[in-house]
């Protein structure tokens, strides 16, 4: 570890050099000596020491306490006071300035170095606590934002359920049978979308809290992927052509089948959903000795470049989705599943022409 870099603030040169020698004997690096409060602030700004040793009585307008308040508050550098006996008023100002340590002159080398070490450790602990607090605040902010989006997503299907149920209750048998059936179907569809939303939210929460298990087992990746394309051929009403291709098989490798299902289904779901005019959707699998490549390609609406940086963040949707339904959770889930495999996902898209998602998973 490089030596800790200290700044000495002391107007009596003899004491300053004596102090410098003692500190160097203990393995510290003294990067500068300042002799006024103003000089101390300037030197601290330019050298950014790990700690400042500060005499309280200094010539000029700014004494050691004022200088140390600026250095601690503005530069977040810890200060230890080094001073001869001080009067009560000065001691009160010293306490109010929350120093990291206080050593009386004439100083004892051991006490000095112990005080410096305690000050450095306390400062490190404070920095770590501040970082943890920032992370907790960011997490809180993320949760509040997510809650707002989720409430919004829940309101739409709930309103549909309420409106259809009201209409059936009020007019019931007066409505033609076809209309009654339609309203029941709308209730079912809304309930289905609510339950899918709930499943995705719970899955994402489990992923965030690291409660999602990663259970790799040998699977035949090519057959597994081909089966998923088959399923999508039936569910997508043939509005898109769905193609499958593979190279390098047979390909038996250890992957988590449940997680891989989320990856492929979210990518195929998007490719089909964001191709409202049809066009070809394809999934290709390439088996290399070290890794497996998956590619999902479509000729749909494409993704505007400004949406790309946040594409894998939960609840982010691009501006060109129009009336196409979605909550912005699918890619966040797919990304997390790929991360758990130690893999990577990339995207290449041209607005109005189509999109290619590429996944690479390590073989194990
Ligand atoms: P869901 O949670 O139902 O999957 P979603 O499809 O909106 O909702 P994601 O799958 O996470 O959410 O996708 C995020 C956004 O990325 C989409 O809203 C869309 O803007 C864009 N996107 C993803 N895939 C494609 C694609 N193949 N073509 C065009 N845009 C896409
Ligand atoms: Mg999606």
């Amino acid at each position: 570890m490089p030596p800790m870099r200290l700044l000495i603030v002391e107007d009596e040169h003899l004491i300053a050099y004596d102090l410098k020698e003692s500190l160097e004997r203990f393995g510290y690096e003294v990067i500068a000596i300042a002799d006024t409060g103003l000089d101390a602030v300037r030197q601290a700004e330019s050298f950014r020491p790990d700690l400042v040793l500060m005499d309280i009585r200094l010539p000029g307008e700014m004494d050691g306490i004022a200088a140390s308040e600026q250095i601690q508050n503005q530069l977040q550098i810890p200060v230890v006071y080094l001073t001869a006996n001080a009067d009560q008023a000065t001691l009160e100002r010293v306490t109010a300035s929350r120093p990291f340590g206080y050593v009386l002159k004439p100083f004892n080398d051991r006490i000095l170095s112990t005080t410096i070490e305690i000050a450095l450790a306390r400062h490190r602990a404070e920095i770590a606590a501040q970082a943890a607090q920032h992370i907790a605040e960011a997490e809180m902010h993320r949760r509040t934002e997510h809650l707002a989006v989720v409430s919004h997503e829940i309101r739409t299907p709930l309103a549909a359920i309420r409106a259809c149920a009201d209409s059936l209750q009020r007019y019931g048998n007066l409505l033609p049978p076809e209309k009654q059936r339609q309203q029941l179907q709308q209730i079912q569809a809304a309930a289905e979308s609510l339950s899918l939303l709930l499943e995705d939210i719970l899955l994402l929460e489990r992923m965030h809290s690291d409660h999602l298990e990663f259970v790799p087992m040998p699977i035949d990746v090519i057959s597994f992927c081909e089966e998923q394309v088959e399923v999508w051929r039936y569910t997508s009403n043939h509005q898109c052509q769905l193609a499958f291709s593979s190279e390098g098989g047979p390909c038996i490798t250890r992957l988590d089948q449940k997680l891989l299902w989320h990856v492929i289904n979210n990518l195929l779901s998007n490719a089909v959903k964001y191709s409202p005019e049809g066009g070809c959707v394809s999934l290709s699998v390439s088996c290399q000795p070290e890794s497996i490549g998956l590619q999902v390609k479509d000729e749909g609406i494409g993704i505007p470049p400004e949406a790309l940086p946040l594409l894998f963040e939960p609840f982010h949707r691009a501006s060109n989705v129009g009336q196409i339904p979605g909550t912005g959770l699918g890619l966040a889930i797919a990304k997390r599943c790929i991360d758990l495999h130690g893999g990577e996902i990339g995207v290449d898209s041209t607005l109005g022409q189509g999109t290619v998602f590429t996944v690479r998973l390590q073989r194990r």
Side-chain angles (χ1 to χ4, degrees):
M1 217 169 74
M4 286 289 143
R5 300 162 65 249
L6 310 185
L7 168 65
I8 295 175
V9 187
E10 171 61 71
D11 59 327
E12 288 184 44
H13 289 213
L14 267 180
I15 300 184
Y17 281 98
D18 192 22
L19 185 58
K20 180 173 183 289
E21 269 178 24
S22 308
L23 292 169
E24 285 171 350
R25 267 202 309 278
F26 275 102
Y28 299 111
E29 182 190 349
V30 174
I31 46 144
I33 296 175
D35 55 7
T36 65
L38 212 56
D39 190 23
V41 174
R42 271 197 225 112
Q43 306 257 31
E45 264 168 3
S46 44
F47 291 114
R48 304 278 160 163
D50 295 306
L51 182 136
V52 178
L53 281 168
M54 177 79 75
D55 187 13
I56 292 181
R57 264 185 235 131
L58 294 169
E61 298 209 332
M62 189 186 270
D63 72 356
I65 302 177
S68 114
E69 274 169 347
Q70 276 205 22
I71 291 173
Q72 283 193 168
N73 298 343
Q74 289 169 17
L75 306 174
Q76 275 80 47
I77 297 171
V79 174
V80 168
Y81 289 120
L82 247 190
T83 186
N85 273 330
D87 55 57
Q88 189 56 31
T90 310
L91 275 179
E92 279 169 19
R93 282 181 62 220
V94 163
T95 314
S97 71
R98 303 191 67 246
F100 279 75
Y102 188 97
V103 179
L104 277 178
K105 287 187 206 168
F107 53 82
N108 162 307
D109 281 2
R110 287 230 155 264
I111 293 181
L112 180 62
S113 90
T114 311
T115 311
I116 291 175
E117 286 310 307
I118 292 174
L120 288 169
R122 190 184 124 201
H123 185 245
R124 274 194 293 270
E126 281 186 12
I127 298 277
Q130 272 170 14
Q133 189 181 351
H134 285 150
I135 292 174
E137 278 168 9
E139 175 66 9
M140 194 71 159
H141 182 70
R142 184 187 71 82
R143 280 178 184 260
T144 315
E145 257 186 8
H146 287 185
L147 196 64
V149 183
V150 169
S151 325
H152 175 81
E153 291 303 322
I154 289 175
R155 262 189 217 117
T156 317
L158 264 188
I161 291 176
R162 209 175 271 140
C164 293
D166 268 4
S167 152
L168 285 170
Q169 191 186 31
R170 274 183 210 209
Y171 309 112
N173 294 337
L174 297 175
L175 294 172
E178 179 56 20
K179 188 80 187 158
Q180 289 181 29
R181 212 176 13 255
Q182 250 180 26
Q183 297 203 324
L184 280 172
Q185 269 170 4
Q186 277 175 21
I187 291 179
Q188 273 167 342
E192 175 65 14
S193 87
L194 278 178
S195 102
L196 287 179
L197 175 63
L198 189 64
E199 264 173 46
D200 276 356
I201 290 170
L202 291 178
L203 185 65
L204 210 64
E205 258 330 290
R206 286 219 310 278
M207 288 173 168
H208 270 296
S209 52
D210 285 334
H211 284 145
L212 195 79
E213 276 186 67
F214 173 58
V215 191
M217 289 214 265
I219 63 167
D220 180 344
V221 186
I222 293 179
S223 322
F224 181 76
C225 291
E226 194 166 13
E227 277 165 29
Q228 304 312 309
V229 172
E230 274 300 311
V231 173
W232 274 93
R233 280 202 186 112
Y234 288 107
T235 49
S236 67
N237 296 329
H238 300 281
Q239 125 217 38
C240 294
Q241 245 182 299
L242 272 130
F244 176 78
S245 65
S246 66
E247 59 175 36
C251 189
I252 312 285
T253 191
R254 286 168 60 79
L255 296 176
D256 184 312
Q257 190 163 319
K258 270 195 205 157
L259 301 185
L260 187 62
W261 183 90
H262 285 295
V263 174
I264 294 173
N265 276 279
N266 276 309
L267 293 180
L268 284 177
S269 142
N270 285 347
V272 170
K273 186 164 75 166
Y274 297 111
S275 300
E277 311 274 314
C280 184
V281 167
S282 65
L283 167 62
S284 12
V285 183
S286 128
C287 272
Q288 311 293 330
E290 299 288 312
S291 67
I292 290 164
L294 305 172
Q295 195 183 62
V296 177
K297 199 168 171 181
D298 67 58
E299 298 167 349
I301 61 172
I303 303 170
E306 66 275 10
L308 293 176
L310 292 174
L311 208 62
F312 299 101
E313 291 295 315
F315 301 113
H316 282 279
R317 304 196 73 208
S319 53
N320 62 332
V321 293
Q323 298 297 310
I324 302 174
T327 45
L329 288 176
L331 284 180
I333 291 172
K335 166 91 170 65
R336 191 74 185 99
C337 295
I338 293 163
D339 288 347
L340 284 168
H341 279 93
E344 284 168 5
I345 181 164
V347 56
D348 189 10
S349 186
T350 310
L351 201 55
Q353 289 191 21
T355 303
V356 185
F357 279 93
T358 313
V359 176
R360 187 147 297 280
L361 303 172
Q362 294 308 315
R363 292 188 73 166
R364 46 186 87 222

